[in-house]
Amino acid sequence: MDALHLVLNAVTVIFIAATMFAADLRATGPALRGVFADIPLLAPALIANMVVIPLLGWGIGALFGLPSAASIALVLIASSPGGPFGAKLATGQQGDVVAGAATQVLLASLGSLTFAPTVNAILTAADIRTEVSLDVVALVRAMALLQLVPFAIGLLLRRYAEPTAQAWRPPAAAVSNITFLIVLAGMLLGSLRDVADLFGQGGGRLRRAGAGGGTSRRRSSRTRSR
């Protein structure tokens, strides 16, 4: 199982890098400047990802009365903007890939800095007393290596070697598509295993409860017979 996790982690790294590289092979400097200057586009994205979704994660945990560990996990996920699927979804929906990739990089860059204070603020306000260690330096390094570097390389290739960029785009997109399917399959299999474990634990509790009820009934029957 550990080997499978290592393989999936490696495939995920390849997927993120290939997706960002392929997305920016079609980007140009003016197009990127247009995206970053489009305040009506960026402002709702920033507000939704930096404010609304973290608060929504906190609210869902409080609404359903989740245990501390589950609430913390939900807050951590909700406070992590700029996930690697934004550019891929834009590609799959035939949308504005450049805008999707640029917004994803912007969210990931800002999110690596706001992640720790956002999580600490929510956990403090929710009065969840636990020690959560957040390595901000590791977050920034991972974001830079997996998203910024491939993004910059693709942009430079498009700017200074456009024929090479055009030639590399199809294989980069193919690698992105294949690794995306593998990552998706790994996520689904992991979720199914967790659900099966959950039902297995629930079934075990039901069997123990049934056994306990049967013992109680037998004891009650013996008492009446006396």
Side-chain angles (χ1 to χ4, degrees):
M1 190 59 66
D2 290 339
L4 179 59
H5 286 164
L6 290 175
V7 171
L8 287 177
N9 287 339
V11 172
T12 302
V13 169
I14 296 172
F15 160 68
I16 297 172
T19 300
M20 298 307 299
F21 180 68
D24 219 37
L25 284 175
R26 67 181 70 186
T28 61
L32 287 176
R33 286 194 295 271
V35 172
F36 290 131
D38 191 349
I39 302 301
L41 169 68
L42 293 180
L46 291 174
I47 293 172
N49 285 273
M50 301 290 188
V51 180
V52 176
I53 294 177
L55 292 177
L56 186 62
W58 175 19
I60 291 174
L63 178 64
F64 291 99
L66 298 179
S68 295
S71 295
I72 292 171
L74 190 57
V75 170
L76 290 174
I77 294 172
S79 303
S80 305
F85 293 100
K88 191 61 186 176
L89 291 176
T91 303
Q93 295 174 356
Q94 302 299 316
D96 191 339
V97 179
V98 175
T103 305
Q104 176 182 315
V105 168
L106 177 62
L107 288 171
S109 302
L110 295 176
S112 63
L113 301 177
T114 63
F115 175 68
T118 300
V119 171
N120 288 332
I122 291 178
L123 295 182
T124 301
D127 196 24
I128 299 178
R129 303 184 181 280
T130 185
E131 293 295 331
V132 179
S133 178
L134 302 174
D135 192 345
V136 177
V137 175
L139 290 173
V140 174
R141 182 171 59 246
M143 182 278 301
L145 291 176
L146 295 181
Q147 298 199 41
L148 285 182
V149 171
F151 189 82
I153 292 174
L155 183 62
L156 291 173
L157 273 178
R158 174 61 187 268
R159 174 68 177 82
Y160 296 104
E162 186 170 351
T164 302
Q166 296 295 336
W168 285 11
R169 192 198 308 176
V175 171
S176 174
N177 292 334
I178 294 171
T179 52
F180 173 69
L181 293 176
I182 296 174
V183 169
L184 188 61
M187 293 171 59
L188 292 176
L189 289 175
S191 299
L192 290 176
R193 187 183 62 224
D194 292 339
V195 171
D197 291 342
L198 180 62
F199 277 104
Q201 293 172 3
R205 285 194 293 269
L206 288 175
R207 286 192 295 271
R208 289 194 294 271
T215 302
S216 298
R217 287 193 295 271
R218 287 194 296 272
R219 289 176 180 174
S220 176
S221 176
R222 287 197 297 268
T223 300
R224 287 196 299 268
S225 63
R226 291 176 183 174

